[in-house]
């Protein structure tokens, strides 16, 4: 720094004592630029241009300095002037491309980078910058080709490997991404972003253990990297290391107290650990930071449901729906909360309205069909219940409870021996899916007794009792002794 100040003093003495030349102003502009005195540098480049209106380098450098001040249109004008003076000025084309990129003129930027490459086919920066813009335009293969060319020209360009790895990740070439990030780290072992990129590719491959290792390295390089702590915390959730996850998410929050996602994920872990009050507190904080976070409202509602605060749950589900009217699960769980809050026909009908909406949004929502079937069953609409349970089974053929309750609805109809036999078929399927389904044994036992198969029916009741279904013993006393 002292050396730069000394250079300024020398240039000042030359300019003040002798006739000023454009070159002297230009060199003093360079020094001011390096000292981040951008306005002073622009003034000196301007003086150089006043003396020599054909000074293309001064226009180019003044353009670059204007970019530092975010005067992108002014920069483009200066780069254009430099190119008019020297149509073979590859660097000016490349710089103008960068300025056009900043104002989102991506097509114009690509034209400039391409011109720079035509002038100088070994211009690695132009390939690199064009690759960046192609990535922005989602021309991923084009971006990879440009980064590859930049690497061919300059095999030590760690940033080109880094960026190519990023694009490979975008096209789901995760192994290729890992290879590029690894190469970037060989060139620059202190590249925290390359560790983060490689970590992300490893998480896509579900290699969470190795991903945590990369995050740890990124943290080692930058102990204030809140995102790395957050990511490592999320990976520890996947590894079922819940206490470790809480520690990392808490550290992310210490570094960035407004990290809404970290509060949300910590709330989720606390829910898994059945610290429901702690979970609600974290979801609440996430909501304070981002009041438009529908998922946080939904999740807080879910936990309130767990602690039997059904009114609070309904309020949160309703808020989640206001923010995201396409949230089928919020409608579904709000319906459940309404049923739990008030056991009345009116509450059941209100719940059915929510289940209807959930199914309208997501016609493959098996749980909503199942729950609506249960609500219709409670209203003694057994045929409607059977239709909904049937739909739930079509979507999820492994839903033992749907078979069991469809059997119950068929048994309730009792309009024929055939209906009872159909109910037994459903209980058979429920038990096949879940051999520990005590209620299905109990109901099959009753159905068998109804069609005269007393011995088999009583054995089913005995099995239900064996599995812990206490009501079965009352039925044994009534029908089997």
């Amino acid at each position: 720094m002292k050396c730069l100040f000394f250079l300024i003093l020398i240039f000042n003495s030359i300019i003040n004592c002798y006739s000023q030349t454009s070159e002297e102003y230009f060199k003093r502009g360079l020094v001011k630029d390096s000292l981040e005195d951008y306005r002073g540098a622009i003034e000196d480049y301007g003086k150089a241009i006043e003396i020599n209106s054909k000074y293309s380098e001064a226009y180019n450098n003044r353009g670059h300095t204007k970019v530092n001040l975010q005067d992108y249109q002014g920069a483009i004008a200066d780069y254009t002037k430099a190119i008019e003076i020297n149509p073979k000025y590859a660097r000016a084309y490349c710089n103008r491309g960068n300025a056009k990129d900043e104002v989102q003129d991506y097509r114009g930027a690509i034209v400039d980078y391409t011109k720079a490459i035509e002038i100088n086919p070994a211009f690695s920066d132009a390939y690199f910058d064009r690759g960046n813009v192609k990535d922005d335009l989602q021309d991923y293969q084009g971006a990879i080709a440009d980064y590859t060319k930049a690497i061919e020209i300059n095999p030590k360009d760690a940033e080109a490997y880094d960026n190519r790895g990023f694009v490979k990740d975008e096209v789901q070439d995760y192994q290729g991404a890992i290879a590029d990030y690894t190469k970037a780290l060989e060139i620059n072992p202190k590249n925290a972003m390359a560790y983060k990129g490689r970590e992300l590719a490893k998480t896509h491959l579900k290699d969470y253990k190795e991903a945590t290792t990369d995050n740890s390295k990124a943290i080692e390089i930058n102990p204030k990297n809140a995102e790395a702590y957050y990511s490592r915390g999320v990976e520890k959730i996947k590894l079922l290391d819940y206490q470790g996850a809480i520690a990392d998410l808490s550290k992310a929050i210490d570094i960035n107290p407004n990290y809404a996602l970290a509060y949300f994920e910590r709330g989720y872990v606390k829910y898994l650990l059945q610290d429901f009050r702690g979970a609600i507190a974290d979801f609440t904080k996430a909501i304070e930071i981002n009041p438009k976070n529908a998922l946080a409202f939904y999740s807080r509602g879910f936990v309130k449901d767990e602690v039997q605060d059904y009114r609070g749950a309904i309020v949160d589900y309703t808020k989640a729906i206001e923010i995201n009217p396409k949230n089928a699960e919020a409608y579904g769980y709000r319906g459940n909360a309404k049923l739990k809050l008030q056991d009345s026909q009116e509450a059941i009908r209100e719940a059915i309205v929510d289940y209807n909406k959930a199914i309208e949004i997501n016609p493959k929502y098996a749980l909503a069909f199942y729950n609506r079937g249960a609500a219709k069953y409670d209203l003694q609409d057994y045929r409607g219940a059977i239709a909904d349970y049937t739909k739930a089974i079509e979507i999820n053929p492994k839903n033992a409870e749907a078979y069991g309750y469809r059997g119950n609805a068929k048994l309730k109809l009792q309009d024929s021996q055939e209906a009872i036999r159909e109910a037994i078929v459903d209980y058979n399927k429920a038990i096949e899916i879940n051999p520990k389904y005590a209620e299905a044994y109990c109901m099959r036992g009753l159905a068998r007794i109804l069609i005269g198969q007393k011995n088999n029916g009583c054995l089913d009741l005995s099995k239900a009792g064996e599995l812990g279904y206490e009501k079965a013993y009352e039925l044994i006393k009534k029908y089997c002794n």
Side-chain angles (χ1 to χ4, degrees), residues 12 59 85 114-115 132 141 184 246 252 267 318 324 361 407 412 428 445 453 455:
N12 282 343
Y59 277 107
I85 297 166
T114 302
K115 186 66 179 178
N132 291 345
Q141 295 305 326
I246 286 176
T318 300
N324 177 15
I361 295 167
K412 281 287 185 180
N428 291 342
Q453 297 178 4
N455 185 57

Side-chain angles (χ1 to χ4, degrees), residues 91 94 97-102 104-107 109-111 113-114 117 123-151 157-168 170 181:
R91 172 57 67 182
C94 189
N98 291 341
K100 287 179 179 178
D101 181 20
E102 292 288 350
Q104 299 182 359
D105 176 11
Y106 301 128
R107 301 292 177 189
I110 286 177
V111 169
Y113 297 136
T114 302
I117 290 165
F123 196 174
S124 63
D125 286 354
Y127 282 105
F128 177 86
D129 292 335
R130 190 172 70 176
N132 291 345
V133 175
K134 286 181 179 178
D135 181 30
D136 290 335
L137 291 171
Q138 298 184 350
D139 175 11
Y140 300 126
Q141 295 305 326
I144 289 171
D146 276 343
Y147 293 135
T148 300
K149 190 66 180 178
I151 290 165
D157 189 346
E159 198 173 355
Y161 279 106
D162 201 357
N163 285 20
R164 190 173 70 176
F166 180 83
V167 179
K168 286 181 179 178
E170 288 183 298
Y181 288 129

Side-chain angles (χ1 to χ4, degrees), residues 71 99 153 164 172 212 250 287 329 333 350 418 454 469:
D71 175 13
I153 296 166
R164 190 173 70 176
Q172 300 181 10
T212 61
S250 297
I287 289 165
E329 286 76 12
Y333 281 99
E350 287 182 7
E418 182 63 28
K454 183 176 179 179
Y469 195 64

